[in-house]
Amino acid sequence: MIRDGYIASWRGGHYEASPGADSAVRLYTTEPAEGFEETRPGRYRRVVPDAEIETLSYVRTVCTWRGERFVIVGEYESWLRVEYTGGLAPVAEALGLDRIDHGVWQTWAPLAEVIDVHEEMI
């Protein structure tokens, strides 16, 4: 599973999370749970004051492709959408990456060529 987003610990559980500017954190789960409201089939949300959150972290999935470090930003069948984190335009160009924005380079990489896939907390 490719993760890229906030996670929170609350009352001993771990949840996908979305911190808000309103001093609250939205917690999400795929199963019905007490105090969670269904927002769509298979998606439940509970708004919790940020003071009740035990930990709030950002998790992302990273990898190595063709000797360079990338963040995985998507997946489709046997392909991963990867974003270059090295910050060197000549390297990105040599790898044949697509320039998405100033300093942002991405491509679709075959899953079989991607190594060292792991999550990191920020």
Side-chain angles (χ1 to χ4, degrees):
M1 177 170 93
I2 305 304
R3 294 198 303 174
D4 183 20
Y6 286 98
I7 57 169
S9 298
W10 177 70
R11 295 185 179 175
H14 300 283
Y15 302 91
E16 287 181 46
S18 178
D22 58 355
S23 298
V25 176
R26 283 128 190 95
L27 304 176
Y28 298 93
T29 182
T30 57
E31 300 293 326
E34 185 178 335
F36 283 73
E37 64 180 90
E38 187 173 27
T39 59
R40 67 173 190 253
R43 183 83 162 164
Y44 300 85
R45 178 185 66 204
R46 180 171 182 159
V47 180
V48 176
D50 58 8
E52 292 185 20
I53 299 297
E54 297 156 7
T55 63
L56 181 66
S57 303
Y58 195 91
V59 64
R60 66 183 182 173
T61 307
V62 297
C63 67
T64 301
W65 181 66
R66 296 189 178 173
E68 298 295 333
R69 186 169 158 29
F70 289 82
V71 173
I72 301 173
V73 296
E75 61 184 320
Y76 180 74
E77 296 180 352
S78 63
W79 295 85
L80 296 175
R81 185 71 177 173
V82 294
E83 185 171 298
Y84 175 58
T85 61
L88 300 173
V91 173
E93 290 168 354
L95 288 169
L97 305 180
D98 302 319
R99 182 174 180 223
I100 305 302
D101 199 352
H102 180 72
V104 180
W105 300 85
Q106 295 182 355
T107 195
W108 285 101
L111 180 60
E113 294 180 12
V114 175
I115 61 171
D116 191 28
V117 175
H118 65 279
E119 289 184 347
E120 67 179 23
M121 299 289 196
I122 301 174

